[in-house]
């Protein structure tokens, strides 16, 4: 049997299975996995187990007030996609992001054991989705947790335990893209500093912002302006720069420039602006010379990271859009979804984070037809509990973990783009 390595270090095989139907709130406030193919349900409009559907050891037993409070909170949310055919998918995604967030603010990628960690990139997307949905308090808690994990040099490890210990579960090492996604999330959350609450949050995140901008500056080669080699969302070691690191760093420098000006740090803001200008030029001259392939050498073809150079992450560029459309076409698999990139060895399984990322890009550039096609595809492939899985098999069945917070967050951002 041929086995390749997935983006989160998990082995793939043609028998990729579903690990969970979803998650419910545990008695300790942490997410609790609902086994696949069970008859368990959640109380409608909440993350609580419906005890009338069966028992699940460790699940919270909500009071009537708990259920009412959860439903009231959902009704008060600025839910993207409300009133559309995607309303249920959006509701479940928003609820799932809340369930995947521990009481201390740690937002884990999924509830299953090998995903029950805080990836800064995933947490960044989840915080943005929450901010757009009007859940700024929870988004801020997620970012505060990530900020507390920041290394002394301003970078972040690939992932952290959710217990607040700053411990890492393995030796994957530093991943530069976490800098960009965290700064982007801070920028979205901060909004316009027109209220005391916004200024207070921005000030609290100030040390993290300064440290991560400094780390982004240090990550760029002084001569070429290219970032040093680093794992990106593929989580594979390469000896060259990838667009999956360069594009998020560019986003982070641009977001950091604005955040620093609000904080009154004009000199560091100027350095960030100049570094962003140089990196943007290098992205065009280096990656653009190869049609925005994943690797700076041009080998391996394109991957989903070309979407990081389109709105809502960057100004629209016609050449980038052409490359992105080619990437979508060249990575589409037989079940209608997409795989992470052209050099991805599994050509049958679709990965939902890439599908939802492309939906978000399509919605943000005004291609509503493509956005609706991809969102409808995701909506039809949710689990029995309505959770968005990480993968979809060649036969069109949900697989791996569910829910995946990153997919749910990106779906919500895509729906917000369609709403706007």
């Amino acid at each position: 049997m041929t086995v390749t390595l997935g983006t989160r270090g998990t082995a793939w095989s043609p028998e990729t299975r579903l690990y969970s139907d979803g998650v419910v709130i545990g008695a300790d406030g942490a997410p609790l996995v609902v086994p696949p193919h069970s008859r368990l349900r959640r109380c409608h409009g909440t993350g609580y187990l419906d005890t009338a559907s069966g028992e699940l050891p460790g699940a919270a037993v909500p009071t009537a007030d708990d259920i009412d409070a959860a439903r009231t909170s959902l009704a008060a949310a600025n839910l993207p996609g409300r009133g559309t055919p995607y309303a249920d998918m959006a509701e479940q995604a928003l609820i799932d992001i809340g369930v995947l967030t521990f009481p201390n603010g740690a937002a884990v990628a999924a509830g299953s054991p090998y995903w029950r960690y805080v990836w800064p990139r995933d947490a960044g997307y989840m915080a943005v989705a929450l901010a757009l949905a009007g859940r700024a308090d929870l988004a801020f808690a997620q970012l505060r947790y990530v900020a507390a994990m920041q290394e002394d040099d301003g970078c972040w490890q690939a992932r952290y335990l959710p217990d607040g210990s700053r411990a890492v579960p393995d030796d994957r090492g530093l991943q530069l893209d976490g800098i960009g996604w965290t700064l982007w999330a801070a920028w979205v959350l901060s909004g316009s500093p027109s209220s005391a609450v916004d200024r207070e949050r921005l000030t609290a995140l100030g040390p993290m912002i300064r440290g991560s901008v400094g780390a982004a500056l240090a990550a760029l080669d002084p001569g070429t302006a290219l970032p040093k080699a680093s794992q990106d969302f593929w989580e594979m070691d390469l000896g060259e720069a990838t667009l999956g690191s360069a594009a998020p760093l560019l986003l982070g420098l641009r977001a950091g420039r604005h955040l620093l000006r609000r904080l009154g740090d004009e000199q560091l803001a100027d350095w960030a602006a100049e570094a962003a200008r140089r990196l943007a030029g290098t992205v065009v001259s280096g990656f653009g010379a190869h049609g925005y392939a994943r690797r700076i050498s041009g080998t391996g073809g394109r991957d989903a990271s070309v979407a990081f150079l389109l709105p809502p992450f960057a100004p629209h560029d016609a050449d980038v859009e052409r490359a992105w459309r080619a990437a979508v076409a060249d990575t589409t698999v037989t079940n209608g979804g997409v795989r992470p990139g052209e050099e991805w060895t599994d050509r049958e399984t679709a990965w939902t984070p890439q599908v939802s990322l492309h939906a978000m890009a399509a919605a943000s550039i005004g291609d509503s037809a493509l956005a609706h096609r991809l969102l409808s595809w995701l909506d039809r492939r949710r689990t029995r509990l309505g959770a968005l899985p990480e993968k979809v098999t060649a036969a069109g069945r949900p697989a791996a973990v569910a829910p995946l917070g990153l997919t749910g967050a990106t779906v919500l951002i895509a729906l917000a783009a369609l709403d706007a």
Side-chain angles (χ1 to χ4, degrees):
M1 179 187 302
T2 300
V3 176
T4 58
L5 208 60
T7 57
R8 297 182 188 278
T10 58
W12 170 85
S13 77
E15 293 77 29
T16 297
R17 61 186 178 87
L18 183 65
Y19 303 149
S20 55
D21 264 339
V23 289
V24 295
I25 299 171
D28 58 355
L32 184 66
V33 167
V34 176
H37 317 303
S38 72
R39 295 185 178 182
L40 298 175
R41 301 186 305 269
R42 293 198 300 201
C43 295
H44 180 70
T46 83
Y48 291 110
L49 175 70
D50 182 353
T51 54
S53 68
E55 296 182 355
L56 183 63
V61 179
T63 65
D65 288 343
D66 292 332
I67 294 173
D68 287 345
R71 289 172 175 167
T72 299
S73 178
L74 180 63
N78 182 29
L79 184 73
R82 178 167 278 150
T84 73
Y86 311 116
D88 184 72
M89 177 168 63
E91 284 189 357
Q92 299 306 322
L94 185 59
I95 292 169
D96 283 335
I97 290 172
V99 176
L100 291 174
T101 305
F102 282 60
N104 63 2
V108 295
S112 299
Y114 295 112
W115 289 259
R116 200 179 177 87
Y117 305 114
V118 179
W119 272 267
R121 77 170 68 87
D122 296 53
Y125 275 87
M126 285 190 270
V128 167
L130 289 169
L132 294 176
R135 295 282 180 82
D137 288 344
L138 188 55
F140 180 63
Q142 291 179 344
L143 282 184
R144 284 298 299 267
Y145 188 90
V146 172
M149 300 299 106
Q150 191 172 31
E151 304 294 320
D152 292 341
D153 63 359
C155 291
W156 280 277
Q157 298 287 327
R159 54 187 190 166
Y160 294 87
L161 297 179
D163 61 2
S165 66
R166 301 186 77 239
V168 297
D170 52 35
D171 59 355
R172 298 186 188 199
L174 300 173
Q175 293 183 357
L176 295 178
D177 64 340
I179 297 171
W181 299 126
T182 305
L183 285 169
W184 173 56
W187 176 71
V188 173
L189 178 62
S190 68
S192 175
S194 57
S195 71
V197 173
D198 288 332
R199 286 193 293 273
E200 182 180 341
R201 286 180 177 141
L202 184 60
T203 300
L205 294 174
M208 179 274 286
I209 292 167
R210 294 185 180 92
S212 50
V213 168
L217 295 173
L220 302 181
D221 183 278
T224 66
L226 278 173
K228 65 181 72 171
S230 169
Q231 289 188 4
D232 56 19
F233 72 92
W234 286 49
E235 298 205 321
M236 296 169 62
D237 290 323
L238 292 175
E240 59 182 312
T242 67
L243 192 56
S245 292
L249 280 175
L250 177 57
L251 171 64
L253 286 166
R254 287 169 168 166
R257 171 191 61 190
H258 292 293
L259 290 166
L260 289 166
R261 294 207 191 286
R262 294 178 187 175
L263 288 166
D265 197 332
E266 295 293 336
Q267 183 177 56
L268 188 53
D270 288 343
W271 291 345
E274 174 60 18
R277 185 192 66 79
R278 293 191 64 217
L279 178 54
T282 298
V283 166
V284 173
S285 63
F287 292 99
H290 303 294
Y292 294 98
R294 174 182 179 236
R295 305 174 187 227
I296 190 62
S297 63
T299 58
R302 300 182 181 94
D303 75 347
S305 60
V306 67
F308 302 155
L309 297 176
L310 286 173
F313 308 118
H316 182 267
D317 181 280
D319 290 337
V320 172
E321 182 183 338
R322 282 190 288 272
W324 167 72
R325 291 188 183 278
V328 174
D330 292 341
T331 58
T332 297
V333 297
T334 55
N335 66 19
V338 297
R339 65 189 195 276
E342 289 187 78
E343 65 178 324
W344 194 258
T345 54
D346 174 9
R347 296 176 176 270
E348 296 181 349
T349 306
W351 289 70
T352 65
Q354 283 69 47
V355 176
S356 55
L357 173 66
H358 291 318
M360 180 174 63
S364 298
I365 65 172
D367 189 345
S368 58
L370 178 57
H372 282 295
R373 180 178 75 77
L374 295 173
L375 288 168
S376 296
W377 185 93
L378 288 164
D379 194 22
R380 293 193 302 270
R381 286 158 178 84
R382 293 186 288 152
T383 70
R384 187 187 56 80
L385 286 182
L388 287 156
E390 181 185 40
K391 305 177 191 178
V392 175
T393 67
R397 293 189 294 270
V401 293
L404 188 71
L406 177 58
T407 301
T410 316
V411 162
L412 289 169
I413 300 167
L415 289 172
L418 286 176
D419 288 347

